[in-house]
Amino acid sequence: MEERLGEVIEATTGEFVAQCYELYRLPPLGSLVKTRDEAVELYGIVYQAATSSLEPGRRPIARGEDETSEEAIYQSNPQLLKLLKSEFNALIVGHRLGDKIYQHLPPRPAHIHSFVYACSDDEIRSFSQSFAFLILLLNTHRPVPPEEITGAALREMGRVQEDRHAFLVAAGKELAVLLSDNFSQLKVILGRLKA
Amino acid sequence: MTQGNSQRLGIVVAGSLNKGVDIRLDGAVSIEDVVVGRYVTIQGQKRRFFGMITDVSLGVSDPKLAQTPPDVTDAFIAEVLAGTSTYGTVHVLPMLTIGSDAASLVEGPQPVKSIPGHYAPVSVASAQDIERVFGKEDPRRFWIGNPLEMETRLCLDLAEFVKRSNGIFGKSGTGKTFFTRILLIGMLQKSKAANLIFDMHNEYGWAGTWEEGKSVKGLKQLFPSKVAVFTLDEENSRQRGVSTDFVVRIGYDEIEPEDVALLRQTLNLTEPAIEAVYQIRRRLGADWLHILADIGEEAASELVAELNIHESTFQNLQRGLATIRRLPFVVPHAPTNAVKGILEHLDRNVNVVLEFGRYRDIAAYVLVANMLSRRIYARYQERTERAMASGAALPAPLVITIEEAHKFLNPEIAGRTIFGTIAREMRKYNVTLLVIDQRPSGIDEEVMSQLGTKVTYLLDNERDIDSVLAGVSGRSELKSVLARLAPRRQALVFGHAVPMPVAFQPREYGSAESYKEFVTSERAIQDLEKLWE
Ligand SMILES: Nc1ncnc2c1ncn2[C@@H]1O[C@H](COP(=O)(O)OP(=O)(O)O)[C@@H](O)[C@H]1O
Ligand SMILES: [Mg+2]
């Protein structure tokens, strides 16, 4: 059973933005998600998420001064769930055609309104058999630093591996090769992997 | 590191045919397990390369790693960095190629003419690889030891070995004598050659040097029917309990001017004195030494006047000759003919060890070795020439072993001694040398260059190292291997009889176990030979 998270509301060659069906039901930072474009399945790594007002001009206002708890705010204002939205951005790290997984960008971006799913543990394991996707993460220029994205992605993948330590060491070695001339960055990412 | 088959070390990352290739070690390989002198194979696209590790070094991918070292107490960081950002490099000198098709199996390993390409995988050479390169023990090949850090047996083709003169070098106490014994056993078992050994320190025939209260058996004790002990010092041999076969005496008439010439420095003779001795020999004939021994004053004056020899030169010569005559084994008339005795034994394929007993001074050694070798060589020369003229079988090869070789083969006299002739003429008359020396730089360069196979133990004098390695390809690499040999019982062999240089530990000599092994292999060979009778 696939866990559907939301649908694509913005798409480019290198990433897509999805809106969650349910407020705050966001996939964790670094997790592997997927969407489909006909025969091609696109894989993305969640690198950023946001919850904000549905209408760009209208900022939420503080409402809880007289409430006893935070949940109570939402209970007293059920319309809030309709005024707010949760969105997340995923960097595209590969795609699947038939049985084959390619860890490079797909030929076309996702369609708007394509459904976005969380990947199952099995899917994560088969995707993480190769580390070719790491270069796509390291080379990003996003508000979230690449060390954070890479660290989070590998931690997430490590969770479902049979031998987590071996997996992280192998990933670390791949990073060491990619960052052979940038030990400072390597050190930061390795520090993020241990957690 | 285990001895398993084809254990992977890393990949080729750079190199040249002349200087060798650089191998980047895999992260899983501990650099401390990779030692200089070890053999590796490199799998190229078309053929396999066989080479030796000659250097080991450390590298970092980013200088920052050396400037601000990471926290390697963190096991995870250390594991990730090993082999990636921090890595070991080994330098390998490829020496042979091993083809895998049927033709190259027959041809055997060939010298390298190219190098493997980038990223060719490198593994520790397996026992089979080494066996393919150095051969198994067989009727020609004799087990001489093990390549360093390996259990594989290193074998030497002794039939090939004896075709040229060879040398064993190394500073004192490294193992030259022990290895010579091993080689002599090998030769008496696996080559058709007969050996004549000038045993200055009484180490080869019978119980050799005593060390820590332990004695080592001599060749005659192990192979009584194949070895005869000749002695210059009967009394000493008897005291040592040696069963001797022949007591050697040298008659005055057996000594020739060239024997005296050899001893010029030892006897403090001047150049004119040497010229004079040749003149005197021509004038007085074979009995010259005898005549000079009791020449009266008048006769002496007549002789020097006639030959135009300066009086002081004559005195100088007489003093030197007196020293020779004082040698206890030098007698006016020898009761037996040592040359004949030696030849009779050699002809029956019995190896002859001539021990010097107490007469270990260098004058005695040089005189006797030179005099006997000269005359024996002349006989081989005659026989070979006769055999060639009549188409008969050539005499069996003869190997003459001498120690302190630089005394016979230094540049001043190498041109004049029989040993210089033998070394230079190669095996024209089926006679070759096995020279043992701790000071190879004292040996004439040309003679050194004629030696087919050289075994060298540790040497600490730069000039000695250079003289031993002169003309060898991969010299500077071999130099570093040589410099790292243990001070005892580790040596490097290279040259004619081995397909490539090898650092090795000679097999053990001296324990009951080792004797048994030497003797059993002899039995095995005899049994094998019986099959053909
Ligand atoms: N093959 C060997 N087997 C056993 N011991 C050895 C061997 N080679 C060397 N040794 C040891 O090293 C010592 C010195 O060896 P030796 O041959 O007498 O040295 P060298 O002739 O070079 O002066 C020996 O007394 C012995 O203890
Ligand atoms: Mg010795």
Side-chain angles (χ1 to χ4, degrees), chain B residues 391-444:
Chain B
L394 297 174
L398 168 65
V399 178
I400 301 178
T401 298
I402 47 168
E403 301 215 50
E404 306 283 346
H406 66 273
K407 298 281 184 194
F408 304 91
L409 295 167
N410 63 54
E412 191 202 333
I413 59 174
R416 280 192 253 159
T417 70
I418 182 61
F419 297 108
T421 311
I422 299 177
R424 274 189 311 271
E425 284 184 343
M426 312 251 289
R427 50 167 181 141
K428 204 161 150 197
Y429 300 115
N430 256 357
V431 180
T432 56
L433 298 179
L434 178 60
V435 300
I436 303 167
D437 209 320
Q438 48 181 314
R439 255 200 58 213
S441 62
I443 298 179
D444 184 53

Side-chain angles (χ1 to χ4, degrees), chain B residues 171-178 211 488-489 507-509:
Chain B
K171 56 183 201 174
S172 172
T174 47
K176 297 184 296 299
T177 299
F178 273 60
E211 194 186 86
R488 220 174 232 206
R489 209 181 149 195
R507 67 192 273 192
E508 203 217 346
Y509 186 98

Side-chain angles (χ1 to χ4, degrees), chain A residues 115-127:
Chain A
F115 295 154
V116 178
Y117 304 89
C119 288
S120 71
D121 290 358
D122 275 345
E123 277 172 307
I124 298 173
R125 277 190 289 268
S126 37
F127 185 83

Side-chain angles (χ1 to χ4, degrees), chain B residues 3-30:
Chain B
Q3 281 261 300
N5 278 353
S6 68
Q7 191 207 341
R8 197 181 127 115
L9 285 177
I11 53 171
V12 172
V13 290
S16 76
L17 181 59
N18 273 335
K19 299 215 182 83
V21 294
D22 290 322
I23 313 295
R24 168 111 169 221
L25 289 183
D26 286 346
V29 177
S30 161

Side-chain angles (χ1 to χ4, degrees), chain A residues 151-171:
Chain A
L154 290 171
R155 278 197 310 272
E156 279 296 312
M157 290 177 179
R159 247 184 347 97
V160 303
Q161 307 294 328
E162 249 171 60
D163 185 345
R164 180 172 171 272
H165 176 78
F167 171 80
L168 291 179
V169 168

Side-chain angles (χ1 to χ4, degrees), chain B residues 455-466:
Chain B
V455 174
T456 179
Y457 284 83
L458 196 63
L459 286 164
D460 46 16
N461 179 309
E462 196 71 13
R463 284 174 51 224
D464 289 331
I465 296 172
D466 287 340

